[in-house]
Amino acid sequence: MTTLPKRRVVLLGATGSIGESTLRVIAAQHDRLELVGIAAHGNHRRLAEIARQFGLRHVALYDSAAYTAASTGGDFPAGTTFYGGPAGLSELAVLPAADTVLIAVVGTAGLQPALAAIAAKKTIALASKEILVLAGKFILAAARASGSRLLPVDSEHNAVFQCLEGHPDKDVRRLVLTASGGAFRDWPVEKLASVTPADALKHPNWAMGPKITVDSATLANKGLELIEAQCLFGLRAEQCEAVLHAQSTVHCLVEFTDGSLLAQLCPPSMTFPIQHALLYPDRAATGTDAALALDKPFALDFRPVDESRYPCYRLARMAMAAGGVAPAIFNAANEVAVAAFLQNRVPFLAIPRIIDQTLAAVKNFEPGALDQVLATDAAARLAASRLLPT
Ligand code: NDP
Ligand code: MG
């Protein structure tokens, strides 16, 4: 029997929800996967535990105080190399000891590390959808130029990737991503004006970080995912849609020109897409969560998205159809608005209002260079921040 070489993985965002699921997958598949480097924003205590558990020696911290505490504190294994600040994340992403970089940093801080890893020809397992929404065109061009492989970790996109394998693009009519509907899917619309961050953080099906859980409650997450899908799979805006599916068991439907639909099913746990992306093109028995149980009755239901209940979803689709930097403006405004909502500075329904007004305030154009996108991102964040109460 031949032994497959191990994939050596750098994990950016190791202390988050995707990070923790990735650690479970790597521990369960230790004969196929090896963790060689980890990064987080500031949680150096958890990074030290992970470094000791996995016996690794390369650690990056974005926050400078946390970097200093970690590199002088003595909690890490002897001989650990520390990388600090934004540049430190990119240094870790090109570590010669690694062949795969899993990017699970919330928001857009993963963009430069992703581009560095792509230039270094690493395989990218991508969870951070915001960076594709911000700069997908430039990320894909960089990957084409270097030959670096981009594997989607976001469950719906991982599902589409699996359904599309072996099918030429010309045969695809549309992609339909499923959405659980988030915390308020069954709440009366009138009550949405007074919901609290604690209410929004109670997701019915998935355990995730706070930002994406609020994005699920507004359905901005599904809007971001449609833009992510359009970019990853090279489709037109009108070919990407979503449908509400309360059970989160079917993750996508791919419709072909002949009317056939292929679906991917698995329980709502990120360990499935993470394992798929890290082992691709191989597969292995799951060592974490059990596969779907088929020995008891279960129902799958689907219903169209009611855009009047989910204005963020409508705005995301408008931004996707407009193209140019509109998706980047949408993303920046959403990040500012969600952070303000989580800090109790604005009500839940201010999130779509802030996005709408920011899209109206910042000019859309077709960017020719990444710098233009980054400048627009900064302008949109500023415009959105000005809409917040002082
Ligand atoms: P969490 O909030 O749970 O975790 C965020 C992680 O990012 C933490 O490890 C955090 O470190 C780290 N981080 C934040 N800012 C920086 C920075 N500037 N530099 C380095 N690390 C940073 O988020 P999730 O795991 O839920 O989501 C991560 C990404 O994956 C998001 O883009 C999300 O959209 C995407 N995703 C998540 C899914 C999920 O099920 N959770 C599903 C599909 C996609 P620290 O702990 O130190 O703050
Ligand atoms: Mg998803």
Side-chain angles (χ1 to χ4, degrees), residues 13 15-18 40-43 62 104 127-130 154 208-209 270:
T15 53
S17 162
I18 292 282
H41 180 264
N43 190 352
Y62 188 94
S128 302
K129 65 195 78 182
E130 295 93 339
D154 206 347
M208 309 182 286
M270 289 306 295

Side-chain angles (χ1 to χ4, degrees), residues 85-112:
L89 251 60
S90 293
E91 273 181 80
L92 188 76
V94 300
L95 202 67
D99 46 61
T100 301
V101 181
L102 193 145
I103 303 177
V105 172
V106 66
T108 50
L111 175 62
Q112 295 302 346

Side-chain angles (χ1 to χ4, degrees), residues 49-134:
E49 288 169 6
I50 300 168
R52 287 198 299 272
Q53 181 191 346
F54 288 85
L56 53 86
R57 297 274 184 280
H58 298 278
V59 174
L61 279 149
Y62 188 94
D63 179 71
S64 57
Y67 167 78
T68 307
S71 51
T72 55
D75 281 353
F76 287 83
T80 299
T81 306
F82 294 95
Y83 307 80
L89 251 60
S90 293
E91 273 181 80
L92 188 76
V94 300
L95 202 67
D99 46 61
T100 301
V101 181
L102 193 145
I103 303 177
V105 172
V106 66
T108 50
L111 175 62
Q112 295 302 346
L115 291 171
I118 288 171
K121 302 187 193 303
K122 309 289 187 195
T123 295
I124 310 295
L126 188 61
S128 302
K129 65 195 78 182
E130 295 93 339
I131 67 174
L132 278 180
V133 174
L134 171 67

Side-chain angles (χ1 to χ4, degrees), residues 129 154-157 212 221-222 225:
K129 65 195 78 182
D154 206 347
S155 53
E156 299 77 1
H157 306 74
I212 186 174
N221 182 50
K222 212 48 55 182
E225 290 185 353

Side-chain angles (χ1 to χ4, degrees), residues 237-295:
E238 62 273 20
Q239 288 178 287
C240 303
E241 290 174 38
V243 66
L244 287 186
H245 166 54
Q247 295 84 8
S248 297
T249 301
V250 173
H251 301 287
C252 78
L253 300 161
V254 174
E255 186 179 318
F256 293 91
T257 46
D258 62 2
S260 285
L261 277 88
L262 291 190
Q264 186 267 359
L265 286 76
C266 68
S269 163
M270 289 306 295
T271 58
F272 293 94
I274 291 168
Q275 174 170 321
H276 176 270
L278 288 181
L279 295 183
Y280 182 81
D282 303 318
R283 291 190 186 257
T286 161
T288 46
D289 298 294
L292 205 57
L294 299 172
D295 55 350

